[in-house]
Amino acid sequence: MPRVAFIGLGRMGHGMAGRYLDAGFEVAVWNRSKAKADDLIARGAHWAASPKEAALGADAVVTMVADDDASRAVWIGKDGAAASMKPGALAIECSTVSHAHALDMARELRSCGLIYIDCPVTGLPSAAAEGKLTLLVGADAADLEKARPYLAPLCTTVRHFGAVGSGTVFKLINNLMGAVQIASLAEGVAIAERAGLDMNLVAEALSTGAVASPQVIRHSKRMVARDFSGASFTAALRHKDAAYAVRLAEELLPGVPVSRAALAAYETAKASAPDDDEGAMIKIVSRPKG
Ligand code: NAP
């Protein structure tokens, strides 16, 4: 039976780890706070006291943690997974990390004899729990073929962008554009409110018209209703992704004023309420100034 270690049981990771149990894998789990593992343990997962313990004997280690610092800690920090992984095992990074970090980890883990692939995802926590994510992979083609059996339980689509790091490049561009769209939507909704428009009509028109991207569809009615229940992606994580993306843009396309404006908007949102849903941006934008 293939053995997977799953590290990071937040909104996304919890559902993803459950997919391996459903698919009949032998699963060891670790999370910084143990309580999030309780129901997975009840379903048959083995609790490990550290990433290092979880990774012992695993054919693949999959991580889904917040950011670069968390990723570094669980791979190569004290009691990190790399310390116990067997040569040739797969190190699958599903967290959204910076491009520089993905390349660093690839170097570090390859030097330990491991196969590292960057595999950030798109899809909400509900898609994670249902195995309906899209995976954005950076890997040598042969490494991706080895990883496929471990990716299959998580996803409906695998998009292979090229060498290690390229999945992360695309993910950061994608999420930077999401930040721009959501920040712009908040401003549009706030202007419409000040103009006294019928806001139910505005929400309906926005989510069915020419600007109706999935982000606009998801957030327009919630912004109008100020209903952010069931937060799935926080202001802090949106800010993190935009910051990593703008750092990448600095190397490739300096300037990017629209992207920088969205990053600044999410800096404010993160400073105000980091754990709020990203759509709560509307509360900041519509606040009376001065
Ligand atoms: P989350 O619910 O906030 O979970 C974050 C996870 O990271 C938790 O397991 C947390 O542990 C762990 N963590 C944070 N700092 C750590 C550290 N220093 N050391 C070890 N573990 C640490 O976030 P999420 O929404 O699941 O997102 C996880 C990743 O998926 C992020 O990279 C995010 O950008 C990406 N993502 C999210 C979505 C989404 O819709 N939510 C979609 C696509 C991609 P604790 O439980 O102990 O806090």
Side-chain angles (χ1 to χ4, degrees):
M1 201 185 301
R3 291 178 71 167
V4 168
F6 201 99
I7 313 286
L9 304 173
R11 289 182 183 84
M12 295 294 287
H14 182 275
M16 293 163 74
R19 289 292 304 163
Y20 287 111
L21 290 171
D22 292 344
F25 286 63
E26 197 175 312
V27 184
V29 292
W30 180 83
N31 192 57
R32 188 176 55 177
S33 32
K34 187 184 174 198
K36 291 181 189 171
D38 287 347
D39 64 316
L40 295 168
I41 297 167
R43 286 166 62 190
H46 164 72
W47 171 255
S50 65
K52 180 180 171 186
E53 188 184 303
L56 200 62
D59 303 299
V61 177
V62 185
T63 54
M64 192 54 161
V65 291
D67 55 16
D68 288 3
D69 289 345
S71 164
R72 181 169 292 280
V74 300
W75 286 118
I76 58 170
K78 184 177 175 297
D79 294 326
S84 67
M85 286 173 72
K86 57 187 182 190
L90 289 155
I92 303 176
E93 176 76 84
C94 288
S95 328
T96 308
V97 294
S98 70
H99 183 233
H101 176 81
L103 297 184
D104 266 6
M105 283 301 100
R107 257 190 311 273
E108 295 260 9
L109 296 180
R110 272 187 194 146
S111 74
C112 304
L114 305 170
I115 298 172
Y116 178 89
I117 76 169
D118 63 312
C119 183
V121 313
T122 57
L124 295 174
S126 53
E130 290 165 9
K132 292 183 177 163
L133 295 170
T134 293
L135 308 184
L136 311 169
V137 174
D140 294 344
D143 293 344
L144 173 56
E145 287 319 305
K146 287 186 196 140
R148 277 191 196 278
Y150 301 91
L151 305 183
L154 304 179
C155 67
T156 49
T157 309
V158 174
R159 296 197 199 286
H160 183 205
F161 284 91
V164 162
S166 60
T168 295
V169 168
F170 178 78
K171 172 67 179 172
L172 295 178
I173 295 166
N174 186 75
N175 277 27
L176 181 58
M177 291 176 65
V180 169
Q181 290 184 11
I182 299 164
S184 167
L185 173 65
E187 292 185 356
V189 167
I191 296 166
E193 287 173 347
R194 294 280 173 99
L197 298 189
D198 173 341
M199 292 309 296
N200 288 328
L201 181 58
V202 166
E204 203 261 322
L206 283 171
S207 54
T208 53
V211 297
S213 69
Q215 294 291 11
V216 169
I217 293 169
R218 187 152 71 88
H219 289 292
S220 46
K221 290 195 176 77
R222 284 155 56 86
M223 282 190 188
V224 166
R226 304 293 195 273
D227 172 8
F228 307 109
S229 51
S232 56
F233 197 56
T234 63
L237 289 177
R238 180 62 73 178
H239 171 265
K240 177 257 306 183
D241 289 359
Y244 290 165
V246 165
R247 205 185 300 160
L248 175 65
E250 274 162 10
E251 294 165 23
L252 301 170
L253 185 73
V256 292
V258 175
S259 301
R260 282 178 183 284
L263 173 60
Y266 270 99
E267 246 153 36
T268 307
K270 181 184 167 190
S272 149
D275 297 329
D276 269 9
D277 187 82
E278 57 183 340
M281 170 66 75
I282 182 64
K283 293 199 270 187
I284 293 163
V285 172
S286 60
R287 209 176 274 160
K289 306 286 184 299

